[in-house]
Amino acid sequence: MSISLIPLLLMGAGAADAPTQAKDVPTQPAATSSPTLPAPPTKPRAASEGGGDDGGGRGRLLRDWGGLRSTLVDAGVTPSLVYTAHTITNVRGGTQSKLMNAGQFVAGLRFDLDKIADLPGTFQLGIVKRYGESFNQKSGINALVNPMSIQGRGETYRVSQLWYRTKIGKLDVKLGRMFLNEDFNPDRCDFISGYFCLGENTRSNSTIWPTSPVSMWAARLQYAVRKDVTVKGAVYQYNPKNLDMERNFYIGWKGATGIVAPFEINYTPRFDGKAGNYAIGLFYSNADMNDPILNSDHQLRAVYGGTPLIRHNEWGAYFNARQTVRKAAADGSGRLDLFLNGSLLSEQSTPNNSAIAMGLSYTGLIPGRPRDELGLAFGRGRVNDRITDAARYINDNGLGHQPVRTAEYVAEAYYGIGVLPGFTIQPDIQFIFQPRGDPGERNAILLGARTQVSF
């Protein structure tokens, strides 16, 4: 498949959600992959993202672009261009063996308006181009959460960021098009599985909580209570057209069905020089969403068919925790980070109502390779209890047969190899237990690799 490279220069976006369908009972759309842009203050940067945003371009494959990059940065324009790809195959599980690749180019520009025009604030533009079919569906694994997080949301060009940001004292204001996980429920995206990419809200419902590359019109306010504590809130316009997989460069306004309104408290301490990032948040949405089991007559769709009942209220709560527990040595080795993420959503429209993920990353496991990184993680997604109870009711009353789905469990490990500055390859293995949350499904083993190039 040919891939068009975007003639822009960026920051970064993520992966997405490809819905998985199981008869009449909805299952979890896939996850999303993390941004690789210059990170917002509350988002820790992945080791694989390369160097900083200085004009010298350290940590980038093309270094300083022959002096062009430092010239642009000095003029107030910070470019970035990142390519990420996932390749995986199922050696066990699913209905057929598949070897598939998916990826994205992320390009963008950040404008320092003070340098450019002596005006306050920053303007950000980010474009994402995705490619690749759904391994989850083609292989027949049909996991609750997409095992290839970079795949989904269509092979289109998306305006992932188009916003203005400024500070007024301790108040940080951002207006424009942005994706939710830029500011809320954030985390790194170093693994291939969607369970360990960004926070856990999208694991429970990636329709009401869409992440990069899908952006929405929004207004976000953030207040610095003190140096290491911030509170923030936002209102995002929820428009189903943003999820359309056929609309290139869509930034329309019409067609909204409601809002998504998150609120978060973020704590970024340093314990003996070891950085931490902790967040707890809530959100509410009044956007139109399909009930997972009932039709418009409040009957079970799996038995009586009909059109879905429309719900208008959804809420959720989440937390993120990431802490460095051992600092790196001078050569980069010996750094140990731990993370724990979780979410709980109401059962009005979500295919899954909770998810949790935990894991670690460690550098320098092999002598002589101080910056290589080992990652280990474990995740669990729970099917909406209403879906589980409906299946039991149908089976117990002779109304048909439905698999009684409960929870899915995933473990993943990778070893990240820094081939060149800005070029990382990560061999990877995933274990999926009870795919779709169905104890009758065969457990799956996936082998793969994640490649990332920061130009």
Side-chain angles (χ1 to χ4, degrees):
M1 177 180 299
S2 62
I3 305 160
S4 304
L5 190 71
I6 308 165
L8 288 172
L9 306 154
L10 162 118
M11 21 171 52
D17 318 41
T20 302
Q21 296 298 331
K23 295 186 179 179
D24 190 44
V25 182
T27 58
Q28 171 60 13
T32 58
S33 202
S34 129
T36 48
L37 337 176
T42 58
K43 179 173 183 305
R45 183 192 310 169
S48 59
E49 287 178 12
D53 296 304
D54 62 335
R58 290 190 297 271
R60 301 181 186 277
L61 186 64
L62 301 183
R63 306 291 289 180
D64 193 27
W65 303 357
L68 174 61
R69 193 171 190 282
S70 58
T71 300
L72 289 171
V73 171
D74 290 343
V77 181
T78 301
S80 178
L81 180 61
V82 179
Y83 169 71
T84 306
H86 294 168
T87 302
I88 56 176
T89 184
N90 51 319
V91 296
R92 186 182 193 276
T95 57
Q96 54 183 318
S97 179
K98 289 287 184 179
L99 172 63
M100 298 181 67
N101 173 267
Q104 70 178 17
F105 288 94
V106 183
L109 297 166
R110 174 168 291 182
F111 300 89
D112 183 338
L113 299 182
D114 181 55
K115 278 187 176 182
I116 296 171
D118 199 25
L119 296 173
T122 301
F123 178 77
Q124 177 71 47
L125 171 66
I127 306 292
V128 178
K129 175 64 171 74
R130 283 251 174 101
Y131 72 91
E133 296 181 286
S134 172
F135 170 84
N136 199 25
Q137 294 177 342
K138 294 285 186 179
S139 66
I141 289 175
N142 293 322
L144 293 180
V145 173
N146 197 337
M148 183 186 280
S149 62
I150 200 92
Q151 189 278 327
R153 296 306 192 198
E155 298 180 305
T156 57
Y157 290 95
R158 291 190 179 274
V159 180
S160 192
Q161 296 171 308
L162 185 69
W163 49 253
Y164 169 75
R165 179 178 180 181
T166 190
K167 286 189 175 183
I168 306 171
K170 293 185 176 182
L171 186 65
D172 186 311
V173 181
K174 187 156 72 168
L175 304 169
R177 284 191 73 95
M178 58 197 86
F179 54 91
L180 276 157
N181 286 74
E182 282 187 73
D183 297 287
F184 298 91
N185 196 211
D187 198 16
R188 286 165 45 164
C189 201
D190 303 328
F191 293 82
I192 292 180
S193 170
Y195 273 100
F196 318 114
C197 180
L198 304 181
E200 294 306 299
N201 281 348
T202 193
R203 253 51 87 214
S204 295
N205 194 331
S206 62
T207 301
I208 201 68
W209 190 271
T211 56
S212 58
V214 175
S215 65
M216 299 181 283
W217 288 108
R220 192 271 287 147
L221 298 178
Q222 175 176 293
Y223 181 77
V225 178
R226 63 187 202 193
K227 186 177 181 180
D228 58 353
V229 177
T230 58
V231 295
K232 49 189 162 183
V235 176
Y236 294 79
Q237 182 209 52
Y238 185 84
N239 186 341
K241 292 181 181 179
N242 291 327
L243 304 177
D244 193 321
M245 294 189 289
E246 303 297 330
R247 297 173 183 263
N248 285 302
F249 301 108
Y250 180 73
I251 56 172
W253 181 269
K254 293 182 179 179
T257 63
I259 64 167
V260 181
F263 174 82
E264 181 178 297
I265 301 174
N266 190 258
Y267 176 46
T268 54
R270 297 188 73 86
F271 301 110
D272 190 28
K274 297 183 282 290
N277 194 308
Y278 300 85
I280 184 169
L282 304 168
F283 77 89
Y284 168 80
S285 176
N286 64 355
D288 295 348
M289 290 289 153
N290 292 342
D291 187 282
I293 62 170
L294 299 179
N295 64 22
S296 56
D297 293 322
H298 292 262
Q299 300 170 317
L300 289 172
R301 289 204 311 277
V303 178
Y304 302 101
T307 59
L309 175 68
I310 302 301
R311 298 287 188 178
H312 304 285
N313 294 285
E314 190 70 81
W315 61 265
Y318 62 88
F319 68 86
N320 302 97
R322 180 175 289 272
Q323 179 65 53
T324 298
V325 296
R326 181 178 176 183
K327 292 190 293 186
D331 63 355
S333 65
R335 180 187 177 106
L336 176 62
D337 287 357
L338 305 178
F339 70 87
L340 175 65
N341 300 322
S343 71
L344 175 66
L345 276 70
S346 62
E347 300 176 345
Q348 296 294 308
S349 64
T350 58
N352 306 328
N353 70 331
S354 68
I356 191 165
M358 63 190 72
L360 61 85
S361 61
Y362 181 79
T363 60
L365 180 67
I366 298 177
R369 303 290 304 175
R371 295 187 181 275
D372 286 359
E373 183 175 88
L374 171 71
L376 302 172
F378 173 81
R380 173 185 181 272
R382 182 170 179 81
V383 176
N384 188 328
D385 287 339
R386 294 177 61 220
I387 295 176
T388 305
D389 293 343
R392 290 195 178 111
Y393 177 84
I394 290 169
N395 296 343
D396 292 346
N397 290 275
L399 299 175
H401 177 73
Q402 292 282 322
V404 180
R405 302 185 300 119
T406 54
E408 174 180 271
Y409 304 86
V410 174
E412 183 174 1
Y414 72 78
Y415 186 81
I417 303 168
V419 180
L420 293 168
F423 179 21
T424 302
I425 295 178
Q426 294 179 189
D428 184 277
I429 185 170
Q430 295 183 51
F431 301 90
I432 304 176
F433 305 97
Q434 295 188 186
R436 296 181 55 240
D438 185 352
E441 290 285 339
R442 190 182 184 209
N443 296 336
I445 300 175
L446 313 181
L447 299 179
R450 177 180 184 270
T451 303
Q452 182 160 295
V453 183
S454 177
F455 297 96

